[in-house]
Amino acid sequence: MRYLALLVAALTSTEMQAFELAPRLVVNVTIDQLRSDYVDAFSDFYSRYGIKRLLGEGLVYDGATYPFFPVDQSSATAAISTGTSPFFNGIIGDTWLDRKSLQPEGSVDDGRGYYSAEKVRTSTIGDELKVSSNGKALVYSFAADSKSAILLAGHAADGCYWLDKNGIWTSSSYYEKALPRWVKSYNESFGEQYRKQNGRQDNDNVVDLALAAMSSTDIGKDDISDILNITLSATKTDGKPVHNWREEMQSIYQQLDYTLGRLVNAIEKRFSLQQVLFVVTSTGYNEERPSDLSQYRIPTGTFYINRTASLLNMYLGAIYGSGRYVEQEYGNEIYLNHRLIEQKRISMPELLARSQAFLMQSAGVADVYTSERLLMGNDDIQKIRAGYNPILSGDIIINVAPGWRLLNENTQQTSMSRAGVTPFPIIFFGYGIRHERISDPVTVDRIAPTIAKTIRIRAPNACRVAPLF
Protein backbone atom coordinates (compact mmCIF):
# COMPACT_ATOMS: atom_id res chain seq x y z
CA MET A 1 0.00 0.00 0.00
CA ARG A 2 2.85 2.37 0.83
CA TYR A 3 4.47 1.63 -2.55
CA LEU A 4 1.17 2.43 -4.33
CA ALA A 5 0.86 5.72 -2.45
CA LEU A 6 4.41 6.71 -3.43
CA LEU A 7 3.69 5.78 -7.06
CA VAL A 8 0.53 7.91 -7.17
CA ALA A 9 2.37 10.83 -5.58
CA ALA A 10 5.05 10.64 -8.27
CA LEU A 11 2.61 10.81 -11.17
CA THR A 12 2.29 14.04 -13.10
CA SER A 13 -1.08 15.75 -13.38
CA THR A 14 -1.40 14.49 -16.97
CA GLU A 15 -0.74 10.92 -15.89
CA MET A 16 -3.21 11.30 -13.03
CA GLN A 17 -5.92 12.37 -15.40
CA ALA A 18 -5.59 9.06 -17.22
CA PHE A 19 -6.52 7.28 -13.94
CA GLU A 20 -9.46 9.56 -13.19
CA LEU A 21 -13.05 8.78 -13.96
CA ALA A 22 -14.74 10.54 -16.82
CA PRO A 23 -16.32 13.88 -15.88
CA ARG A 24 -19.58 13.56 -14.02
CA LEU A 25 -21.13 16.29 -16.09
CA VAL A 26 -20.68 17.76 -19.56
CA VAL A 27 -22.17 21.24 -19.87
CA ASN A 28 -22.59 21.80 -23.59
CA VAL A 29 -23.30 25.51 -24.19
CA THR A 30 -24.21 26.66 -27.69
CA ILE A 31 -24.52 30.42 -28.19
CA ASP A 32 -26.58 31.46 -31.17
CA GLN A 33 -24.68 33.84 -33.48
CA LEU A 34 -21.76 34.43 -31.09
CA ARG A 35 -19.06 36.36 -32.95
CA SER A 36 -15.35 36.59 -32.13
CA ASP A 37 -15.13 40.21 -33.28
CA TYR A 38 -17.83 41.25 -30.80
CA VAL A 39 -16.30 39.09 -28.06
CA ASP A 40 -13.00 40.93 -28.52
CA ALA A 41 -14.54 44.38 -29.01
CA PHE A 42 -16.25 44.35 -25.60
CA SER A 43 -13.56 42.54 -23.60
CA ASP A 44 -12.93 45.59 -21.37
CA PHE A 45 -16.49 45.40 -20.06
CA TYR A 46 -16.48 41.78 -18.88
CA SER A 47 -16.24 40.60 -15.30
CA ARG A 48 -13.59 38.04 -14.38
CA TYR A 49 -16.15 35.23 -13.99
CA GLY A 50 -17.69 34.76 -17.45
CA ILE A 51 -16.25 35.15 -20.94
CA LYS A 52 -12.93 36.50 -19.65
CA ARG A 53 -12.46 33.45 -17.42
CA LEU A 54 -13.37 30.97 -20.15
CA LEU A 55 -10.92 32.58 -22.57
CA GLY A 56 -8.22 33.02 -19.94
CA GLU A 57 -8.34 29.54 -18.39
CA GLY A 58 -9.83 27.33 -21.09
CA LEU A 59 -8.53 25.58 -24.16
CA VAL A 60 -9.58 27.97 -26.93
CA TYR A 61 -9.73 27.20 -30.64
CA ASP A 62 -10.00 30.63 -32.23
CA GLY A 63 -10.53 29.56 -35.84
CA ALA A 64 -13.70 27.48 -35.71
CA THR A 65 -15.87 26.99 -38.80
CA TYR A 66 -18.64 24.70 -40.01
CA PRO A 67 -17.68 22.04 -42.59
CA PHE A 68 -20.69 22.77 -44.80
CA PHE A 69 -22.57 25.64 -46.40
CA PRO A 70 -25.02 27.27 -45.93
CA VAL A 71 -25.36 27.34 -42.14
CA ASP A 72 -28.40 28.33 -40.08
CA GLN A 73 -29.62 27.66 -36.55
CA SER A 74 -30.94 24.14 -37.15
CA SER A 75 -28.15 22.83 -39.35
CA ALA A 76 -25.52 24.24 -36.99
CA THR A 77 -27.12 22.79 -33.86
CA ALA A 78 -27.54 19.37 -35.44
CA ALA A 79 -23.90 19.36 -36.54
CA ILE A 80 -22.78 19.99 -32.96
CA SER A 81 -24.83 17.12 -31.55
CA THR A 82 -24.30 14.57 -34.34
CA GLY A 83 -20.70 15.35 -35.26
CA THR A 84 -21.57 15.32 -38.95
CA SER A 85 -23.04 17.44 -41.75
CA PRO A 86 -26.56 17.70 -43.24
CA PHE A 87 -25.54 15.23 -45.96
CA PHE A 88 -25.76 12.53 -43.28
CA ASN A 89 -27.87 13.90 -40.40
CA GLY A 90 -30.64 15.22 -42.65
CA ILE A 91 -31.04 18.65 -41.05
CA ILE A 92 -30.41 20.87 -44.08
CA GLY A 93 -31.93 24.01 -42.57
CA ASP A 94 -34.58 25.49 -40.34
CA THR A 95 -37.13 24.60 -43.02
CA TRP A 96 -37.13 22.83 -46.35
CA LEU A 97 -39.64 21.72 -48.96
CA ASP A 98 -41.44 18.40 -48.54
CA ARG A 99 -41.27 16.72 -51.95
CA LYS A 100 -44.66 15.02 -51.57
CA SER A 101 -46.76 17.96 -50.39
CA LEU A 102 -44.57 20.70 -51.94
CA GLN A 103 -45.06 22.58 -48.67
CA PRO A 104 -42.39 23.83 -46.26
CA GLU A 105 -41.67 21.68 -43.21
CA GLY A 106 -39.66 22.57 -40.11
CA SER A 107 -36.60 20.79 -38.81
CA VAL A 108 -38.38 19.57 -35.65
CA ASP A 109 -41.98 19.36 -36.90
CA ASP A 110 -43.03 15.73 -37.04
CA GLY A 111 -45.97 16.31 -39.39
CA ARG A 112 -48.52 15.38 -36.74
CA GLY A 113 -48.59 18.68 -34.91
CA TYR A 114 -45.84 17.78 -32.45
CA TYR A 115 -42.16 18.60 -32.07
CA SER A 116 -39.60 15.82 -32.10
CA ALA A 117 -36.14 14.72 -33.23
CA GLU A 118 -37.56 12.29 -35.81
CA LYS A 119 -35.97 14.15 -38.72
CA VAL A 120 -32.45 13.69 -37.29
CA ARG A 121 -31.25 10.70 -39.31
CA THR A 122 -28.25 9.78 -37.15
CA SER A 123 -27.48 9.36 -33.47
CA THR A 124 -26.37 12.29 -31.31
CA ILE A 125 -23.77 12.42 -28.57
CA GLY A 126 -26.59 12.25 -26.01
CA ASP A 127 -28.09 9.19 -27.74
CA GLU A 128 -24.75 7.38 -27.65
CA LEU A 129 -24.38 8.19 -23.95
CA LYS A 130 -27.80 6.71 -23.22
CA VAL A 131 -26.93 3.55 -25.18
CA SER A 132 -23.50 3.09 -23.57
CA SER A 133 -24.91 3.49 -20.05
CA ASN A 134 -27.95 1.25 -20.64
CA GLY A 135 -30.14 4.29 -20.13
CA LYS A 136 -28.64 5.23 -16.76
CA ALA A 137 -26.94 8.44 -17.88
CA LEU A 138 -29.04 11.61 -17.85
CA VAL A 139 -29.38 13.93 -20.84
CA TYR A 140 -31.25 17.24 -20.58
CA SER A 141 -31.61 20.15 -22.96
CA PHE A 142 -32.76 23.74 -22.39
CA ALA A 143 -33.26 26.55 -24.92
CA ALA A 144 -35.54 29.46 -25.60
CA ASP A 145 -36.67 27.83 -28.87
CA SER A 146 -37.75 24.30 -29.77
CA LYS A 147 -35.23 23.80 -32.61
CA SER A 148 -32.16 24.35 -30.44
CA ALA A 149 -33.50 22.33 -27.51
CA ILE A 150 -34.54 19.30 -29.57
CA LEU A 151 -31.63 19.11 -31.99
CA LEU A 152 -29.15 19.13 -29.10
CA ALA A 153 -31.26 16.76 -26.99
CA GLY A 154 -31.46 14.06 -29.68
CA HIS A 155 -33.80 11.09 -29.68
CA ALA A 156 -33.36 9.64 -26.21
CA ALA A 157 -33.05 12.62 -23.83
CA ASP A 158 -34.61 12.48 -20.38
CA GLY A 159 -35.88 16.04 -20.67
CA CYS A 160 -36.07 18.69 -23.37
CA TYR A 161 -37.60 22.11 -22.64
CA TRP A 162 -38.19 25.40 -24.45
CA LEU A 163 -40.27 28.54 -24.07
CA ASP A 164 -43.66 28.77 -25.78
CA LYS A 165 -45.03 31.99 -27.28
CA ASN A 166 -46.31 33.03 -23.85
CA GLY A 167 -42.93 32.58 -22.17
CA ILE A 168 -43.93 29.34 -20.42
CA TRP A 169 -41.59 26.37 -20.32
CA THR A 170 -42.96 23.47 -22.31
CA SER A 171 -41.88 20.20 -23.92
CA SER A 172 -43.23 17.48 -26.20
CA SER A 173 -44.85 14.11 -25.55
CA TYR A 174 -42.02 12.73 -27.69
CA TYR A 175 -39.90 13.02 -24.53
CA GLU A 176 -42.39 12.99 -21.65
CA LYS A 177 -46.14 12.46 -21.29
CA ALA A 178 -46.39 15.49 -19.02
CA LEU A 179 -44.13 18.19 -17.60
CA PRO A 180 -42.40 17.05 -14.41
CA ARG A 181 -43.46 18.67 -11.15
CA TRP A 182 -40.29 20.74 -10.83
CA VAL A 183 -40.83 22.38 -14.26
CA LYS A 184 -44.45 23.16 -13.39
CA SER A 185 -43.30 24.61 -10.09
CA TYR A 186 -40.72 26.76 -11.86
CA ASN A 187 -43.36 28.05 -14.28
CA GLU A 188 -45.59 28.99 -11.37
CA SER A 189 -42.85 30.61 -9.32
CA PHE A 190 -40.74 32.40 -11.91
CA GLY A 191 -42.63 32.39 -15.20
CA GLU A 192 -44.69 35.45 -14.44
CA GLN A 193 -41.62 37.26 -13.13
CA TYR A 194 -39.74 36.83 -16.43
CA ARG A 195 -42.77 37.72 -18.53
CA LYS A 196 -43.17 41.03 -16.72
CA GLN A 197 -39.53 42.06 -17.09
CA ASN A 198 -38.20 43.94 -20.08
CA GLY A 199 -34.80 43.55 -21.73
CA ARG A 200 -32.76 40.46 -22.41
CA GLN A 201 -34.16 37.81 -20.07
CA ASP A 202 -34.27 34.62 -22.18
CA ASN A 203 -30.66 33.69 -21.41
CA ASP A 204 -31.18 34.08 -17.66
CA ASN A 205 -34.42 32.14 -17.88
CA VAL A 206 -32.68 29.26 -19.67
CA VAL A 207 -29.85 29.14 -17.14
CA ASP A 208 -32.23 29.35 -14.19
CA LEU A 209 -34.26 26.35 -15.38
CA ALA A 210 -31.08 24.38 -16.09
CA LEU A 211 -29.89 25.06 -12.54
CA ALA A 212 -33.33 24.12 -11.21
CA ALA A 213 -32.96 20.80 -13.01
CA MET A 214 -29.68 20.19 -11.19
CA SER A 215 -31.45 20.74 -7.86
CA SER A 216 -34.49 18.63 -8.75
CA THR A 217 -32.97 15.66 -10.62
CA ASP A 218 -29.98 13.36 -10.21
CA ILE A 219 -27.83 15.16 -12.78
CA GLY A 220 -24.16 14.73 -11.89
CA LYS A 221 -24.83 12.84 -8.69
CA ASP A 222 -23.06 9.58 -9.57
CA ASP A 223 -19.98 8.48 -11.48
CA ILE A 224 -21.88 8.00 -14.74
CA SER A 225 -21.38 10.99 -17.00
CA ASP A 226 -24.45 13.16 -17.72
CA ILE A 227 -24.97 15.85 -20.36
CA LEU A 228 -26.59 19.23 -19.84
CA ASN A 229 -27.26 21.03 -23.15
CA ILE A 230 -27.86 24.77 -22.85
CA THR A 231 -28.53 27.17 -25.71
CA LEU A 232 -28.05 30.90 -25.17
CA SER A 233 -28.17 33.78 -27.63
CA ALA A 234 -25.92 36.69 -28.55
CA THR A 235 -28.61 38.50 -30.56
CA LYS A 236 -31.34 41.05 -30.03
CA THR A 237 -34.70 39.60 -29.04
CA ASP A 238 -36.94 42.38 -30.33
CA GLY A 239 -36.46 41.38 -33.96
CA LYS A 240 -35.30 44.87 -34.93
CA PRO A 241 -32.11 45.39 -36.96
CA VAL A 242 -28.92 46.58 -35.31
CA HIS A 243 -28.30 50.23 -36.20
CA ASN A 244 -25.48 51.08 -33.79
CA TRP A 245 -23.55 47.90 -33.10
CA ARG A 246 -21.31 49.38 -30.40
CA GLU A 247 -24.17 50.49 -28.18
CA GLU A 248 -26.68 47.75 -28.90
CA MET A 249 -24.33 44.74 -28.98
CA GLN A 250 -22.25 45.88 -26.01
CA SER A 251 -25.17 45.49 -23.64
CA ILE A 252 -26.00 42.08 -25.11
CA TYR A 253 -22.45 40.76 -24.70
CA GLN A 254 -22.12 42.22 -21.22
CA GLN A 255 -25.31 40.48 -20.17
CA LEU A 256 -24.16 37.26 -21.84
CA ASP A 257 -20.90 37.51 -19.90
CA TYR A 258 -22.83 37.89 -16.64
CA THR A 259 -25.08 34.92 -17.44
CA LEU A 260 -22.16 32.65 -18.35
CA GLY A 261 -20.35 33.66 -15.17
CA ARG A 262 -23.43 32.87 -13.11
CA LEU A 263 -23.77 29.46 -14.76
CA VAL A 264 -20.12 28.52 -14.20
CA ASN A 265 -20.11 29.73 -10.58
CA ALA A 266 -23.33 27.90 -9.73
CA ILE A 267 -22.05 24.61 -11.14
CA GLU A 268 -18.66 25.09 -9.51
CA LYS A 269 -20.38 25.37 -6.12
CA ARG A 270 -21.96 21.95 -6.67
CA PHE A 271 -18.98 20.14 -8.17
CA SER A 272 -15.25 20.39 -8.41
CA LEU A 273 -14.26 21.79 -11.81
CA GLN A 274 -12.25 18.58 -12.23
CA GLN A 275 -15.60 16.77 -12.46
CA VAL A 276 -17.18 19.03 -15.07
CA LEU A 277 -16.34 19.64 -18.72
CA PHE A 278 -17.71 22.88 -20.18
CA VAL A 279 -17.93 23.15 -23.96
CA VAL A 280 -18.84 26.54 -25.42
CA THR A 281 -19.27 27.39 -29.09
CA SER A 282 -21.44 29.29 -31.59
CA THR A 283 -23.97 28.45 -34.28
CA GLY A 284 -21.57 30.26 -36.58
CA TYR A 285 -23.98 32.07 -38.87
CA ASN A 286 -24.98 35.72 -38.66
CA GLU A 287 -28.26 37.38 -39.59
CA GLU A 288 -27.40 40.88 -40.70
CA ARG A 289 -29.65 43.83 -41.46
CA PRO A 290 -30.06 44.14 -45.25
CA SER A 291 -28.33 47.29 -46.47
CA ASP A 292 -28.73 49.28 -49.65
CA LEU A 293 -25.31 48.51 -51.07
CA SER A 294 -25.94 50.53 -54.22
CA GLN A 295 -25.58 53.81 -52.33
CA TYR A 296 -21.97 52.81 -51.66
CA ARG A 297 -21.43 51.71 -55.29
CA ILE A 298 -21.02 48.09 -54.19
CA PRO A 299 -22.21 45.64 -56.90
CA THR A 300 -25.68 44.40 -55.98
CA GLY A 301 -29.06 43.47 -57.40
CA THR A 302 -32.11 41.28 -56.83
CA PHE A 303 -32.31 37.70 -58.07
CA TYR A 304 -35.92 36.53 -58.44
CA ILE A 305 -35.97 32.78 -57.85
CA ASN A 306 -39.66 32.41 -58.82
CA ARG A 307 -39.16 34.16 -62.16
CA THR A 308 -36.03 32.14 -62.84
CA ALA A 309 -37.87 28.88 -62.12
CA SER A 310 -40.62 29.86 -64.57
CA LEU A 311 -38.09 30.71 -67.27
CA LEU A 312 -36.31 27.39 -66.71
CA ASN A 313 -39.61 25.54 -67.10
CA MET A 314 -40.27 27.34 -70.39
CA TYR A 315 -36.76 26.53 -71.60
CA LEU A 316 -37.10 22.81 -70.76
CA GLY A 317 -40.54 22.76 -72.40
CA ALA A 318 -39.09 24.14 -75.61
CA ILE A 319 -36.54 21.31 -75.65
CA TYR A 320 -38.52 18.32 -74.35
CA GLY A 321 -42.12 19.28 -75.04
CA SER A 322 -44.71 21.04 -72.89
CA GLY A 323 -45.05 20.05 -69.26
CA ARG A 324 -44.42 21.15 -65.70
CA TYR A 325 -40.76 20.26 -65.34
CA VAL A 326 -40.20 22.56 -62.36
CA GLU A 327 -42.48 21.52 -59.50
CA GLN A 328 -41.50 24.18 -57.00
CA GLU A 329 -38.79 26.55 -55.86
CA TYR A 330 -37.84 27.13 -52.23
CA GLY A 331 -35.04 29.28 -50.90
CA ASN A 332 -32.30 29.04 -53.50
CA GLU A 333 -33.32 25.53 -54.59
CA ILE A 334 -35.36 24.25 -57.54
CA TYR A 335 -37.29 20.96 -57.31
CA LEU A 336 -37.90 19.07 -60.55
CA ASN A 337 -40.84 16.84 -61.50
CA HIS A 338 -39.19 13.41 -61.44
CA ARG A 339 -42.36 11.58 -62.46
CA LEU A 340 -42.80 13.65 -65.64
CA ILE A 341 -39.12 13.32 -66.51
CA GLU A 342 -39.34 9.53 -66.13
CA GLN A 343 -42.57 9.34 -68.16
CA LYS A 344 -40.95 11.25 -71.00
CA ARG A 345 -37.84 9.04 -70.68
CA ILE A 346 -35.61 12.09 -70.48
CA SER A 347 -32.05 11.59 -69.31
CA MET A 348 -31.80 13.29 -65.93
CA PRO A 349 -28.03 14.00 -66.25
CA GLU A 350 -28.67 15.61 -69.64
CA LEU A 351 -31.57 17.71 -68.33
CA LEU A 352 -29.56 18.85 -65.33
CA ALA A 353 -26.58 19.79 -67.52
CA ARG A 354 -28.82 21.85 -69.80
CA SER A 355 -30.46 23.50 -66.79
CA GLN A 356 -27.10 24.39 -65.29
CA ALA A 357 -25.87 25.96 -68.53
CA PHE A 358 -29.12 27.93 -68.89
CA LEU A 359 -29.15 29.23 -65.31
CA MET A 360 -25.51 30.28 -65.40
CA GLN A 361 -26.49 32.93 -67.93
CA SER A 362 -28.76 34.70 -65.41
CA ALA A 363 -27.58 37.95 -63.82
CA GLY A 364 -26.67 37.56 -60.18
CA VAL A 365 -25.78 33.87 -60.39
CA ALA A 366 -22.35 32.94 -59.05
CA ASP A 367 -22.65 29.19 -59.55
CA VAL A 368 -25.20 26.42 -60.09
CA TYR A 369 -24.99 23.07 -58.33
CA THR A 370 -27.02 20.16 -59.65
CA SER A 371 -27.65 16.94 -57.74
CA GLU A 372 -25.50 15.16 -60.33
CA ARG A 373 -22.59 17.52 -59.77
CA LEU A 374 -22.89 17.39 -55.99
CA LEU A 375 -23.01 13.60 -55.78
CA MET A 376 -19.79 13.38 -57.81
CA GLY A 377 -18.16 14.95 -54.73
CA ASN A 378 -15.35 16.91 -56.35
CA ASP A 379 -12.96 18.50 -53.86
CA ASP A 380 -13.79 22.05 -54.93
CA ILE A 381 -17.40 21.81 -53.76
CA GLN A 382 -17.07 19.70 -50.61
CA LYS A 383 -18.67 22.29 -48.28
CA ILE A 384 -21.67 22.70 -50.60
CA ARG A 385 -22.02 18.91 -50.90
CA ALA A 386 -21.84 18.48 -47.13
CA GLY A 387 -24.74 20.91 -46.71
CA TYR A 388 -26.81 19.00 -49.27
CA ASN A 389 -28.96 15.93 -48.65
CA PRO A 390 -29.86 13.69 -51.63
CA ILE A 391 -33.33 12.89 -50.26
CA LEU A 392 -34.40 16.30 -48.95
CA SER A 393 -32.63 18.95 -50.99
CA GLY A 394 -33.69 20.35 -54.34
CA ASP A 395 -32.31 19.07 -57.64
CA ILE A 396 -30.71 22.40 -58.47
CA ILE A 397 -29.09 24.81 -56.01
CA ILE A 398 -28.35 28.34 -57.17
CA ASN A 399 -25.50 30.20 -55.51
CA VAL A 400 -26.41 33.88 -55.72
CA ALA A 401 -23.53 36.32 -56.16
CA PRO A 402 -22.25 38.02 -52.97
CA GLY A 403 -24.09 41.26 -52.31
CA TRP A 404 -27.17 40.21 -54.27
CA ARG A 405 -30.57 39.71 -52.66
CA LEU A 406 -32.52 36.55 -53.37
CA LEU A 407 -36.30 37.12 -53.47
CA ASN A 408 -39.27 34.82 -54.01
CA GLU A 409 -42.19 37.06 -54.94
CA ASN A 410 -44.70 34.27 -54.32
CA THR A 411 -43.72 33.66 -50.70
CA GLN A 412 -41.82 36.90 -49.96
CA GLN A 413 -38.86 34.81 -48.82
CA THR A 414 -35.75 36.96 -49.03
CA SER A 415 -32.10 36.68 -48.07
CA MET A 416 -28.84 38.49 -48.74
CA SER A 417 -25.95 36.49 -50.16
CA ARG A 418 -22.62 36.78 -48.38
CA ALA A 419 -19.64 34.52 -49.00
CA GLY A 420 -17.58 35.65 -46.01
CA VAL A 421 -17.17 33.68 -42.79
CA THR A 422 -17.94 35.10 -39.34
CA PRO A 423 -15.21 33.82 -36.97
CA PHE A 424 -16.12 32.27 -33.62
CA PRO A 425 -14.40 30.13 -30.97
CA ILE A 426 -14.69 26.65 -29.50
CA ILE A 427 -13.82 26.67 -25.79
CA PHE A 428 -13.19 23.72 -23.45
CA PHE A 429 -13.03 24.52 -19.74
CA GLY A 430 -12.81 22.48 -16.52
CA TYR A 431 -11.90 18.77 -16.15
CA GLY A 432 -8.17 19.35 -15.99
CA ILE A 433 -8.14 21.41 -19.19
CA ARG A 434 -4.98 23.48 -19.52
CA HIS A 435 -5.14 26.98 -20.92
CA GLU A 436 -4.02 27.36 -24.51
CA ARG A 437 -5.02 29.49 -27.50
CA ILE A 438 -4.90 27.60 -30.79
CA SER A 439 -5.22 29.53 -34.04
CA ASP A 440 -5.27 26.54 -36.40
CA PRO A 441 -8.63 26.22 -38.19
CA VAL A 442 -10.92 23.52 -36.81
CA THR A 443 -14.47 22.41 -37.60
CA VAL A 444 -17.40 22.21 -35.20
CA ASP A 445 -18.27 18.60 -36.07
CA ARG A 446 -15.19 17.61 -34.05
CA ILE A 447 -16.86 18.66 -30.79
CA ALA A 448 -19.00 15.50 -30.56
CA PRO A 449 -16.11 13.02 -30.91
CA THR A 450 -14.08 15.08 -28.43
CA ILE A 451 -16.85 14.83 -25.84
CA ALA A 452 -17.25 11.13 -26.66
CA LYS A 453 -13.55 10.45 -26.08
CA THR A 454 -13.58 12.42 -22.83
CA ILE A 455 -16.55 10.51 -21.37
CA ARG A 456 -15.28 7.23 -22.85
CA ILE A 457 -18.11 6.34 -25.22
CA ARG A 458 -18.49 5.93 -28.98
CA ALA A 459 -18.92 8.98 -31.17
CA PRO A 460 -22.28 9.41 -32.94
CA ASN A 461 -22.82 6.81 -35.66
CA ALA A 462 -22.26 9.12 -38.67
CA CYS A 463 -19.30 11.00 -37.20
CA ARG A 464 -16.18 10.48 -39.29
CA VAL A 465 -13.84 13.15 -37.90
CA ALA A 466 -11.17 12.91 -35.21
CA PRO A 467 -11.45 14.41 -31.71
CA LEU A 468 -9.79 17.79 -31.15
CA PHE A 469 -7.66 16.32 -28.34
Side-chain angles (χ1 to χ4, degrees), residues 14 32 96 104 242 251 309 326 352 363 385:
T14 302
D32 189 38
W96 56 84
V242 176
S251 63
V326 175
L352 289 171
R385 182 180 185 273

Side-chain angles (χ1 to χ4, degrees), residues 28 78-84 123-126 128 227 279 428 443-455 457-460 463 465-468:
N28 189 23
I80 293 170
S81 65
T82 64
T84 191
S123 68
T124 66
I125 186 66
E128 293 292 344
I227 294 180
V279 185
F428 294 90
T443 52
V444 166
D445 51 346
R446 296 178 66 184
I447 290 176
T450 304
I451 294 175
K453 179 182 176 183
T454 304
I455 59 179
I457 64 170
R458 295 178 305 182
C463 178
V465 292
L468 286 165

Side-chain angles (χ1 to χ4, degrees), residues 139-382:
V139 177
Y140 281 85
S141 188
F142 304 90
D145 66 281
S146 57
K147 297 189 294 292
S148 298
I150 290 171
L151 295 174
L152 282 177
H155 305 88
D158 298 273
C160 178
Y161 308 100
W162 60 89
L163 294 167
D164 67 14
K165 61 182 180 181
N166 297 314
I168 298 294
W169 284 101
T170 188
S171 187
S172 166
S173 57
Y174 181 81
Y175 295 103
E176 298 171 293
K177 292 182 179 179
L179 286 177
R181 186 182 300 274
W182 60 271
V183 177
K184 292 180 179 178
S185 176
Y186 180 91
N187 277 333
E188 293 170 359
S189 301
F190 300 101
E192 189 65 27
Q193 169 188 327
Y194 277 108
R195 288 194 297 278
K196 287 181 178 179
Q197 292 177 349
N198 296 319
R200 174 140 202 88
Q201 298 297 334
D202 281 356
N203 284 347
D204 290 321
N205 203 346
V206 170
V207 166
D208 283 347
L209 187 66
L211 294 177
M214 297 183 65
S215 301
S216 306
T217 68
D218 291 330
I219 294 175
K221 293 183 179 178
D222 57 27
D223 290 332
I224 300 174
S225 299
D226 300 323
I227 294 180
L228 191 65
N229 295 300
I230 296 173
T231 301
L232 304 178
S233 177
T235 66
K236 296 178 64 176
T237 56
D238 57 11
K240 297 180 180 179
V242 176
H243 293 285
N244 188 326
W245 70 269
R246 287 188 179 277
E247 293 180 4
E248 295 177 72
M249 299 311 296
Q250 178 183 322
S251 63
I252 290 171
Y253 274 70
Q254 278 187 272
Q255 182 62 37
L256 177 64
D257 169 68
Y258 169 78
T259 304
L260 284 170
R262 196 162 61 83
L263 173 66
V264 172
N265 286 342
I267 292 177
E268 192 173 11
K269 288 180 180 178
R270 294 175 181 270
F271 309 98
S272 161
L273 275 183
Q274 297 296 320
Q275 298 175 311
V276 182
L277 175 67
F278 288 88
V279 185
V280 180
T281 194
S282 169
T283 51
Y285 72 103
N286 182 45
E287 292 180 347
E288 294 183 344
R289 176 172 64 95
S291 302
D292 181 8
L293 300 181
S294 61
Q295 66 177 311
Y296 303 105
R297 296 194 290 273
I298 298 173
T300 185
T302 300
F303 177 81
Y304 298 94
I305 184 69
N306 56 303
R307 298 182 192 181
T308 302
S310 297
L311 288 172
L312 176 63
N313 195 73
M314 293 172 60
Y315 170 73
L316 295 175
I319 296 174
Y320 300 110
S322 62
R324 187 185 176 191
Y325 295 91
V326 175
E327 279 201 311
Q328 190 63 278
E329 68 281 343
Y330 189 78
N332 67 333
E333 302 185 8
I334 292 177
Y335 293 75
L336 298 177
N337 189 336
H338 287 220
R339 181 175 296 180
L340 175 64
I341 294 168
E342 290 174 4
Q343 287 175 349
K344 286 180 172 283
R345 298 185 178 180
I346 299 170
S347 165
M348 180 64 85
E350 176 193 303
L351 184 146
L352 289 171
R354 287 181 179 272
S355 298
Q356 180 182 9
F358 174 79
L359 293 169
M360 283 298 299
Q361 300 176 48
S362 302
V365 172
D367 207 343
V368 176
Y369 303 95
T370 66
S371 55
E372 190 83 5
R373 181 184 176 191
L374 289 166
L375 289 175
M376 288 175 63
N378 294 334
D379 291 340
D380 61 329
I381 57 171
Q382 281 300 309

